[in-house]
């Protein structure tokens, strides 16, 4: 009866109720243990919807694989707004600091094609451009040029 369950849960706030509880109820796993493990692994995403896959075996053992929310969701969560701009080149909805961009890049890095934090940050900045989000007061394209020129190398260096 081994199987897989895929759900979206708020980071660090999963509970035995829907959508997780009804899916796990008929399985041999300890629901509370699964919920605790999911919360431990997703606490960095604090409330942002996170894709989670739970693989379980007949003996009650389980393995959890936590995905990464979409870049746009991470940006909205970090900057504190609901929707992007309808005119992202003229109407800006939020401004991020370079440290916030770095945080998002580090969270998203496993799912990106980038080899390092600097290039992951440039991918995040690309999403900012399409959402109407500025970085350090600059248009995302201007900020990317500054990153390319090395202006933020000290901040975006690998930890």
């Amino acid at each position: 009866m081994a199987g897989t369950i895929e759900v979206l849960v708020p980071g660090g706030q999963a509970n035995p109720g829907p959508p997780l509880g009804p899916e796990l109820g008929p399985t041999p796993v300890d629901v509370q243990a699964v919920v605790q493990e999911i919360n431990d692994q997703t606490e960095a995403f604090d409330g942002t919807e996170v894709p989670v896959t739970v693989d379980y075996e007949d003996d009650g053992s389980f393995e959890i694989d936590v995905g990464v929310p979409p870049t746009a969701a991470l940006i909205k969560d970090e900057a504190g707004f609901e929707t992007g701009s309808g005119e992202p080149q003229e109407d800006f909805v939020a401004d991020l600091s370079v440290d916030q961009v770095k945080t998002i890049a580090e969270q998203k890095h496993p799912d990106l094609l980038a080899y390092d934090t600097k290039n992951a940050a440039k991918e995040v900045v690309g999403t900012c451009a399409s959402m109407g989000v500025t970085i350090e007061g600059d248009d995302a394209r201007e900020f990317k040029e500054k990153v390319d020129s090395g202006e933020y190398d000290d901040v975006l260096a690998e930890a």
Side-chain angles (χ1 to χ4, degrees):
M1 178 178 147
T4 300
I5 296 170
E6 295 179 358
V7 292
L8 278 175
V9 297
Q13 300 171 14
N15 62 57
L20 206 49
E23 293 283 337
L24 291 172
T27 70
V29 300
D30 176 351
V31 176
Q32 276 305 121
V34 172
V35 168
Q36 184 61 48
E37 181 72 22
I38 289 172
N39 285 337
D40 290 347
Q41 290 188 33
T42 63
E43 67 185 335
F45 297 115
D46 189 33
T48 303
E49 293 285 303
V50 181
V52 174
T53 303
V54 180
D55 292 315
Y56 61 89
E57 300 296 332
D58 293 331
D59 64 2
S61 63
F62 62 89
E63 200 170 295
I64 295 171
D65 182 43
V66 176
V68 178
T71 305
L74 294 172
I75 292 168
K76 287 193 285 188
D77 185 51
E78 189 71 30
F81 65 93
E82 292 298 315
T83 59
S85 172
E87 296 181 23
Q89 307 313 313
E90 294 145 29
D91 183 24
F92 301 107
V93 295
D95 185 60
L96 292 175
S97 70
V98 68
D99 289 327
Q100 289 174 303
V101 169
K102 181 179 181 181
T103 298
I104 296 166
E106 289 171 342
Q107 289 175 331
K108 193 68 182 168
H109 193 246
D111 285 0
L112 298 176
L113 298 174
Y115 292 111
D116 57 21
T117 302
K118 179 178 177 178
N119 286 300
K122 287 173 24 180
E123 288 190 47
V124 170
V125 169
T127 303
C128 288
S130 66
M131 296 177 72
V133 175
T134 56
I135 299 95
E136 299 281 336
D138 290 327
D139 177 271
R141 287 167 186 78
E142 294 169 18
F143 180 79
K144 183 185 170 296
E145 289 174 12
K146 289 180 178 181
V147 170
D148 285 339
S149 73
E151 191 171 322
Y152 292 100
D153 283 357
D154 57 332
V155 179
L156 297 175
E158 297 292 319

